[in-house]
Every structure is written in structure tokens, then in C-alpha cells.
């Protein structure tokens, strides 16, 4: 299982505040995720932006000093030294949080995104044998549908629990190597 919080980052002061993930955010708001897992793993944050463009937010070549490794039962901020800025066009960002036991679990998706620069659809510059983003995401989403994930948002936390925490737990009896959940971020 994994617990996450959406954190609103004040870029002037560096302060962070857990916020309701269902809130409507504003253009240029900067967000991060507070994450805790019950197993060691590798965190990937993928984004299908409001423009339709795909991007790998974590790990990222722009943030080479950021690790995507998470130790069990340790709360980490992702990214630790940066934040994800919401930009035009307004709409819904679809963040996919993937926590995998092995780093290669989403390598094909990462290759697909890099092969066409994140754009959706067909690109003349894309090699014919390059994996398509849509195909790779369909594989990940199929894994989401075929598992018994329980998702619960805690509005009123108990002692020691962060406000607006969301818990995602795999309750299936099958062995699983990753947890995948979608976070929809609305912004105007």
C-alpha cells in the first residue's frame, strides 16, 4: 500500500501545505507529493497534461539530483528539492503515481515517452518500432483494473496522520510488483 498527500508549495518561502487533491488549483501553482509506502520501491510520476502531452515528471533529466527510490515506512517529498508547476492550458492534469518493486517495471513506458518527446499521436520523427505511449499506458491501466485496489481519502485525520491523506491499498490475493493510481489535478 501507499499513502500520498498533494502538497501546495509556496515558492517564495519554501513552505508546504497538504491540500485536498480534489481542490481546484491555479495556473503557476507549484505542487509536490508527500508519499509513504509499506515496501521499498521505485517511484515514478507520469503526467498526461491538460494539453494531452505525456511527460515523465519523476525521475527526470531536469532533476538529476532527485532519487526515485523510496524506503518502506519513510515519508518522502517527491520531488524533494523541486515542485511541479501547473501551466496553461487550464484543465485536468492526470498524474499517474507508480510505485514499483523493480526499477525496470516502467522502462518501456519511459522509452515510449522519450521516443516522441511526449507528444501524443504519430510523429514523423518517431521510429516505426518505437513503443507507443498509449499502448504502454494501456498496459499499466489494465494492471490497475485487474487488481483490487481500495482507495480512501481521510478528511479528518487521527493523531499523527497528515490532513487530506489518500491511501491506496492492493487487497487482492495475487502477488503484485507495483501499485498504480491516478491523481486528477484540476487547475484554471
Amino acid at each position: 500500500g501507499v499513502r500520498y498527500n498533494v502538497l501546495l508549495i509556496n515558492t517564495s518561502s519554501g513552505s508546504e501545505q497538504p491540500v485536498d487533491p480534489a481542490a481546484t488549483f491555479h495556473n503557476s501553482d507549484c505542487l509536490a507529493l508527500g508519499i509513504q509506502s509499506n515496501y521499498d520501491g521505485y517511484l515514478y510520476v507520469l503526467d498526461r497534461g491538460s494539453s494531452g502531452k505525456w511527460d515523465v515528471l519523476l525521475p527526470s533529466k531536469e532533476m538529476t539530483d532527485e532519487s526515485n527510490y523510496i524506503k518502506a515506512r519513510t515519508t518522502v517529498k517527491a520531488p524533494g528539492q523541486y515542485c511541479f508547476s501547473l501551466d496553461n492550458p487550464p484543465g485536468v492534469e492526470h498524474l499517474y503515481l507508480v510505485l514499483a518493486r523493480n526499477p525496470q517495471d516502467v522502462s518501456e513506458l519511459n522509452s515510449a515517452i522519450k521516443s516522441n518527446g511526449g507528444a501524443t499521436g504519430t510523429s514523423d520523427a518517431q521510429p516505426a518500432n518505437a513503443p507507443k505511449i498509449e499502448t504502454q499506458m494501456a498496459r499499466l491501466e489494465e494492471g490497475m483494473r485487474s487488481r483490487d485496489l481500495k482507495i480512501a481519502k481521510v478528511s479528518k485525520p487521527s493523531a499523527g496522520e497528515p490532513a487530506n491523506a489518500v491511501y491506496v491499498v492492493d487487497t487482492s490475493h495475487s502477488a503484485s510488483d507495483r501499485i498504480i493510481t491516478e491523481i486528477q489535478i484540476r487547475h484554471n
Side-chain angles (χ1 to χ4, degrees):
V2 67
R3 179 189 78 205
Y4 72 83
N5 281 87
V6 173
L7 304 172
L8 182 61
I9 308 299
N10 180 321
T11 55
S12 300
S13 68
S15 65
E16 57 191 58
Q17 173 185 350
V19 293
D20 185 346
T24 299
F25 298 94
H26 304 287
N27 195 31
S28 77
D29 277 351
C30 222
L31 305 176
L33 299 171
I35 299 169
Q36 185 179 71
S37 170
N38 64 356
Y39 63 89
D40 293 350
Y42 295 86
L43 175 68
Y44 298 87
V45 180
L46 309 162
D47 176 46
R48 187 177 70 218
S50 53
S51 67
K53 180 182 175 193
W54 283 97
D55 200 6
V56 177
L57 300 178
L58 191 69
S60 168
K61 62 183 175 189
E62 288 84 25
M63 299 181 286
T64 56
D65 55 338
E66 293 282 334
S67 172
N68 69 323
Y69 181 74
I70 292 183
K71 188 120 176 91
R73 293 172 183 73
T74 302
T75 302
V76 297
K77 181 179 145 196
Q81 303 299 314
Y82 302 86
C83 56
F84 308 126
S85 179
L86 299 174
D87 297 321
N88 282 323
V92 179
E93 301 283 326
H94 299 267
L95 296 181
Y96 291 88
L97 180 103
V98 180
L99 185 65
R101 292 187 191 274
N102 300 301
Q104 68 274 13
D105 286 343
V106 295
S107 62
E108 286 183 20
L109 175 63
N110 199 15
S111 296
I113 291 170
K114 288 179 181 177
S115 72
N116 70 357
T120 58
T122 307
S123 167
D124 293 336
Q126 181 176 351
N129 63 352
K132 295 204 180 278
I133 295 169
E134 291 79 9
T135 302
Q136 297 304 317
M137 280 309 297
R139 282 187 188 168
L140 286 177
E141 288 174 334
E142 181 61 33
M144 288 176 10
R145 283 191 295 274
S146 66
R147 306 238 315 278
D148 297 327
L149 293 180
K150 299 288 184 191
I151 300 174
K153 180 176 143 191
V154 178
S155 298
K156 295 185 179 182
S158 60
E161 183 177 47
N164 298 302
V166 177
Y167 290 84
V168 182
V169 179
D170 181 358
T171 61
S172 69
H173 297 290
S174 64
S176 64
D177 60 347
R178 64 181 165 240
I179 287 184
I180 305 164
T181 192
E182 178 183 5
I183 306 168
Q184 293 187 7
I185 303 291
R186 290 168 180 73
H187 64 99
N188 56 24

